[in-house]
Amino acid sequence: MNDAYWLTEQFEAHRSHLRSVAYRVLGNWNEAEDAVQESWLRLSRSDAAGIENIGGWLTTVVSRVCLDMLRSRKARREESMEAWDAGQTIDPESGGDPEREAILADSVGIALLVVLGTLNPEERIAFVLHDIFAVPYAEIAPIVGRTEIAARQLASRARRRVQGARASAGTDLGTQRALVDSFLAAARSGDFEALLSVLDPDAVLRSDRENAEGEVRGARAVAEQLMGGRAKAAHPALVNGEVGVAVSPGGQLLLVLALSYANGKIVGVDVISEAARLEELDLIALDE
């Protein structure tokens, strides 16, 4: 068996795993396939004889490729959203593919991709690799360019956000819709106290907008961020299966508020405005 054939055989044996890692990190099938292909190109140019654990090597490589892609998203200039379709899905070509369907149905499926999308690239890599694929922190650290302790902290922060998203599952859609209606009414009328009443005292707001603070914590501070502004252009929408808010002045999608819930209150507000992330959301406008 020649070396090229052996290398191809080894890569194909790990392709499914690499695709799973890349999709869970990136949340986009086309990008995941690109990341897997790049990992093959890097393997084909490497001295395979010096690789002791080819599976681990490939996982590290595809993770680094994904990290670069996530960082590129953050730097990418926002594009026009005139063609936004409120009924689009995150993965319109997944039908009939058992592997894709299995991934979408697991604990980090469509409903949590929006939450993962609010993490910074390093947090997302650390969480996916450790909590889903059981990669040790010692191996994650060099991928994200941090110490082992720092890699552990990255995953811990991400885990808290994901757990908060899962808590939303305990709030039925009717309650979510009532909270959002009250939220919008308060924001439109400028009723600060009414807005406070729908927010959990420990509510957290995160935004991917330029010059935004990393996190705003506490109901009062969050309410101050949400008052006024573009409330008249806001309307309720299903955001990956949860009731949230879409802001679309003049019919052009500007941003989405992905909300998380617990104990009958809004506990998290994630402001999503990056064009690439908006395109990946499953959005369905709701009548008012």
Side-chain angles (χ1 to χ4, degrees):
M1 184 183 299
N2 62 46
D3 291 344
Y5 182 85
W6 179 85
L7 205 60
T8 300
E9 190 176 60
Q10 289 297 306
F11 180 78
E12 290 302 327
H14 292 91
R15 179 187 288 274
S16 180
H17 167 74
L18 298 176
R19 187 185 290 119
S20 295
V21 171
Y23 177 71
R24 286 173 170 90
V25 171
L26 296 169
N28 179 288
W29 277 109
N30 291 332
E31 290 185 353
E33 293 288 0
D34 289 344
V36 172
Q37 182 62 23
E38 177 62 25
S39 70
W40 160 246
L41 293 175
R42 296 190 185 187
L43 177 63
S44 65
R45 295 193 296 260
S46 300
D47 179 10
I51 301 174
E52 295 182 4
N53 178 355
I54 196 166
W57 188 91
L58 283 168
T59 299
T60 296
V61 169
V62 81
S63 297
R64 285 176 171 160
V65 172
C66 289
L67 181 58
D68 289 341
M69 294 172 79
L70 289 175
R71 288 169 172 167
S72 177
R73 283 183 189 174
K74 296 292 290 184
R76 189 180 304 156
R77 179 175 60 84
E78 290 188 6
E79 301 173 355
S80 171
M81 293 300 295
E82 292 178 358
W84 174 68
D85 175 5
Q88 68 181 325
T89 61
I90 192 168
D91 187 26
E93 300 178 355
S94 66
D97 186 327
E99 182 182 357
R100 294 185 181 191
E101 291 173 358
I103 292 175
L104 291 176
D106 75 8
S107 61
V108 187
I110 290 177
L112 288 181
L113 284 176
V114 65
V115 181
L116 292 178
T118 68
L119 309 178
N120 68 43
E122 293 77 13
E123 288 172 339
R124 189 161 175 164
I125 289 284
F127 172 79
V128 170
L129 290 182
H130 182 268
D131 284 41
I132 300 175
F133 295 99
V135 177
Y137 290 118
E139 296 178 21
I140 296 171
I143 295 174
V144 297
R146 306 287 180 88
T147 65
E148 184 175 344
I149 293 175
R152 185 185 299 272
Q153 292 172 339
L154 287 172
S156 178
R157 286 201 298 269
R159 191 176 304 117
R160 287 196 296 270
R161 296 191 194 178
V162 171
Q163 289 170 346
R166 286 177 175 150
S168 292
T171 304
D172 65 81
L173 290 178
T175 300
Q176 292 180 20
R177 178 60 192 267
L179 286 168
V180 167
D181 286 346
S182 297
F183 168 91
L184 289 174
R188 289 166 179 164
S189 65
D191 190 336
F192 189 79
E193 293 303 318
L195 187 55
L196 279 180
S197 71
V198 301
L199 296 172
D200 184 87
D202 297 319
V204 179
L205 180 145
R206 305 178 185 89
S207 175
D208 65 11
R209 309 191 80 178
E210 289 187 11
N211 303 318
E213 297 180 41
E215 285 188 352
V216 176
R217 291 185 172 273
R220 187 166 293 275
V222 170
E224 289 173 352
Q225 293 285 319
L226 297 172
M227 286 297 295
R230 301 180 182 273
K232 291 184 178 180
H235 55 83
L238 279 179
V239 182
N240 291 346
E242 303 275 348
V243 182
V245 176
V247 180
S248 49
Q252 179 174 325
L253 184 65
L254 179 67
L255 58 86
V256 166
L257 304 183
L259 307 177
S260 52
Y261 307 86
N263 301 318
K265 299 284 187 179
I266 296 171
V267 298
V269 180
D270 289 296
V271 182
I272 302 171
S273 63
E274 289 186 353
R277 292 179 61 202
L278 288 171
E279 289 173 351
E280 293 176 351
L281 297 178
D282 178 7
L283 295 174
I284 300 175
L286 298 174
D287 294 333
E288 291 194 73

